Amino acid sequence: MKRLVYGLSLALLGLGATPSQADYALTILHINDLHSRLEPITKYDSTCAADDDAEGKCFGGIARVKAKVDERRAALAAEGKNVITLDAGDQFQGSLFYSTYKGKAAAEFMNAIGFDAMAVGNHEFDDGPQGLADFLEKVEFPVLSGNIGVENEPSLKGKVPGSVILDVGGQKVGIVSVLAEDTAETSSPGKNVGFLKAETYLKGAVEGMEAAGVDKIIALTHVGLPRDLEVASRVPGIDLIVGGHSHTLLSNTDKKAAGPYPVLVQNPRGRQVPVVQAYAYGKYLGEIEVVFDDDGNVVSAAGNPILLDASVPADKEVAARVAELAVPLEELRTKVIGSTSDTIDGSRDSCRLQECTMGNLVADAMLARVKDQGVQIAIQNGGGLRASIDAGEVTMGEVITVLPFQNTLSTFQLKGSDVIAALENGVSLVEEAAGRFPQVAGIRYSWTRARKPKEGRIISVEVEEEGNWVPLDPEKVYGVVSNNYMRGGGDGYRIFADAGANAYDYGPGLEEVVAEYVGNLQGGYTPYLDGRVREVK
């Protein structure tokens, strides 16, 4: 398969026509948001124990991804089908493999699988521009993002094309890519990397590709399903969107899916654009076949994500290599630090929308660590909680899976009015299940989505003082603890960076704080909700 790096473009459809002999069919195998889950995962998306995997209780793992991609490629090739394999971003961050090996392990396994293209995800910037640059040097396929400006960033200049043209079965297939515009708030791209609105780039990219005679165009995006639907409705010329970022399961068979696979959106030309995504963490391999007529219009789009459960045998060579890389991690990971009487819910479906038991645990642990320093309030972003922990023994590896970002405790002083402003930011994007949703300790608040974002969604805030709940005083200065990512303005908490006084950003690691808190509890931890976050309808 030939690849041509290009600058721009796309084309669209009216589904439902019957394919003819001259029609061109293309199958896309795709994943998104693997987040360094190289080993199999539990139903809670955390690392699965080897014994449980042997009993068939686990899902995913990069060895299963490799095996299933190989199997589907071979089967489709035997039928004379055209196939490409895409990754919609966020290989980085989420397990000890990333903490230890950074992007090296991801590059090794992606090369072994043989991806045709990957979108830059926001977490590819978690170790700054240089972390992404190091990854780009190791991969053997194009890593794309057209709406980021890297001209002023020496480590990335000239290394991140916006698109690529693939020669697949004698046809040119254009791929264009965009990244979430708020990446500066959700990761660490640095001051030299800029972001353009996705539609602005894509419209020009589409026009450029169409002018060059490319009439089969895929948008490989990392903006989340809500934005994908907007893009599909606004940008003419896109034939298919393969997305990531929102960890959305689309399926025609799973009752828990957020929608059908694909979702169809009408574009400005009156044609239907199929949009697909395949959850996250390597639990599914997406597979969609798109059929084009002679004019490059999509006449059908059909498929479904494939669940990578125990029925999928792992690729032996890749599994052995994962086991080899895991050896240095094992001592830390298997260390038992405590126990829990029930599942501690850290799912994004809970912690980005409402009070969750993992949010309470982490915020309580943060506050307990620094309460003797005069700190009264803890605020933790729900998006910083990356997994649940099931009942029974709790290991350090599980805690690190929940809190993989190596964030440190940050303490500072903040006026009550600024605390309210921070909470307003926290609930401002709840409709998108954004990671900024505030999990708290030492305060309780009520909020409503009946008002516009940052226009009074926070209805009331109370703070605990000497065992009593009293209204937060807008003029009083309070001691606050958060994590260093949020204190630096991450997830839109700019108020922490601008108004936080007497800040100290170099406390212990958040994972250490939580592990110590759980470990010091006699009789283990009991997850609970107490109404500290209340939504008013």
Side-chain angles (χ1 to χ4, degrees), residues 10-282:
L10 305 159
L12 263 264
L13 63 108
L15 298 181
T18 303
S20 68
Q21 288 293 93
D23 289 340
Y24 172 82
L26 175 67
T27 298
I28 297 95
L29 305 175
H30 62 99
I31 64 170
N32 56 275
D33 299 281
L34 187 78
H35 284 298
S36 194
R37 299 299 208 277
L38 300 182
E39 294 176 306
I41 58 172
T42 69
K43 62 181 179 180
Y44 302 110
D45 299 331
S46 57
T47 301
C48 195
D51 290 346
D52 288 338
D53 194 22
E55 293 177 13
K57 298 179 180 179
C58 302
F59 304 88
I62 200 67
R64 280 196 180 99
V65 175
K66 171 74 161 71
K68 181 55 71 172
V69 169
D70 286 352
E71 175 195 317
R72 293 305 302 144
R73 277 190 188 134
L76 291 163
E79 298 173 18
K81 298 291 184 70
N82 303 298
V83 186
I84 60 173
T85 306
L86 304 177
D87 185 317
D90 272 4
Q91 277 280 333
F92 285 16
Q93 201 64 266
S95 77
L96 280 175
F97 283 92
Y98 183 75
S99 303
T100 304
Y101 300 108
K102 300 303 179 183
K104 294 178 181 178
E108 177 181 339
F109 292 117
M110 292 189 77
N111 287 339
I113 291 169
F115 283 87
D116 293 295
M118 172 185 169
V120 175
N122 57 311
H123 286 288
E124 268 71 72
F125 282 108
D126 277 0
D127 279 281
Q130 189 60 52
L132 174 56
D134 292 343
F135 175 73
L136 296 177
E137 290 181 1
K138 294 177 176 61
V139 295
E140 299 167 354
F141 49 84
V143 179
L144 312 172
S145 194
N147 68 324
I148 65 173
V150 297
E151 296 80 10
N152 297 320
E153 174 49 56
S155 65
L156 293 176
K157 184 177 181 180
K159 298 179 181 179
V160 188
S163 64
V164 66
I165 297 174
L166 306 177
D167 184 341
V168 189
Q171 296 283 323
K172 291 181 179 179
V173 177
I175 299 175
V176 293
S177 186
V178 287
L179 172 60
E181 298 95 338
D182 65 350
T183 293
E185 297 177 358
T186 63
S187 191
S188 304
K191 62 182 180 180
N192 295 328
V193 178
F195 297 87
L196 184 69
K197 191 172 179 64
E199 289 91 337
T200 302
Y201 167 74
L202 288 171
K203 286 178 180 177
V206 170
E207 292 172 2
M209 276 197 179
E210 289 183 328
V214 179
D215 61 4
K216 300 170 183 65
I217 303 168
I218 299 168
L220 180 62
T221 69
H222 194 85
V223 297
L225 183 62
R227 285 288 287 123
D228 280 334
L229 303 183
E230 292 175 350
V231 166
S233 69
R234 295 171 181 172
V235 182
I238 297 175
D239 291 307
L240 169 71
I241 295 180
V242 176
H245 189 49
S246 55
H247 297 206
T248 306
L249 175 61
L250 299 176
S251 173
N252 302 315
T253 55
D254 193 317
K255 294 180 180 179
K256 296 181 180 179
Y261 181 104
V263 174
L264 298 177
V265 181
Q266 184 169 295
N267 80 337
R269 296 175 181 171
R271 304 194 67 83
Q272 298 295 314
V273 183
V275 179
V276 295
Q277 192 174 147
Y279 187 55
Y281 310 127

Side-chain angles (χ1 to χ4, degrees), residues 336-495:
V336 176
I337 53 91
S339 65
T340 175
S341 62
D342 202 349
T343 297
I344 311 172
D345 178 20
S347 70
R348 60 191 287 127
D349 292 339
S350 298
C351 297
R352 295 174 178 233
L353 300 172
Q354 61 199 21
E355 176 189 2
C356 67
T357 53
M358 187 65 75
N360 287 354
L361 166 59
V362 173
D364 287 349
M366 294 165 68
L367 187 57
R369 184 63 173 255
V370 295
K371 205 164 188 177
D372 61 356
Q373 300 175 25
V375 175
Q376 294 173 268
I377 298 169
I379 303 179
Q380 162 69 27
N381 56 326
L385 311 175
R386 308 303 284 194
S388 301
I389 294 176
D390 52 3
E393 289 184 341
V394 178
T395 65
M396 191 65 199
E398 287 179 301
V399 176
I400 292 172
T401 300
V402 173
L403 300 163
F405 298 107
Q406 299 177 301
N407 292 139
T408 57
L409 285 195
S410 290
T411 55
F412 49 98
Q413 293 177 315
L414 205 62
K415 283 181 63 176
S417 58
D418 293 330
V419 172
I420 295 171
L423 295 175
E424 285 281 0
N425 168 71
V427 299
S428 65
L429 293 177
V430 68
E431 290 84 356
E432 300 177 17
R436 63 187 61 188
F437 191 87
Q439 301 292 331
V440 300
I443 59 172
R444 61 188 187 187
Y445 68 92
S446 61
W447 69 283
T448 181
R449 68 182 78 199
R451 298 174 184 169
K452 292 181 179 180
K454 300 186 181 179
E455 292 186 12
R457 284 191 164 186
I458 299 299
I459 297 173
S460 67
V461 185
E462 294 177 302
V463 61
E464 187 175 16
E465 292 186 351
E466 298 180 356
N468 298 310
W469 290 102
V470 300
L472 188 82
D473 184 347
E475 297 303 316
K476 183 176 178 178
V477 175
Y478 295 91
V480 178
V481 61
S482 188
N483 60 66
N484 65 314
Y485 166 70
M486 295 172 67
R487 227 289 297 171
D491 263 346
Y493 285 90
R494 192 68 213 170
I495 194 76

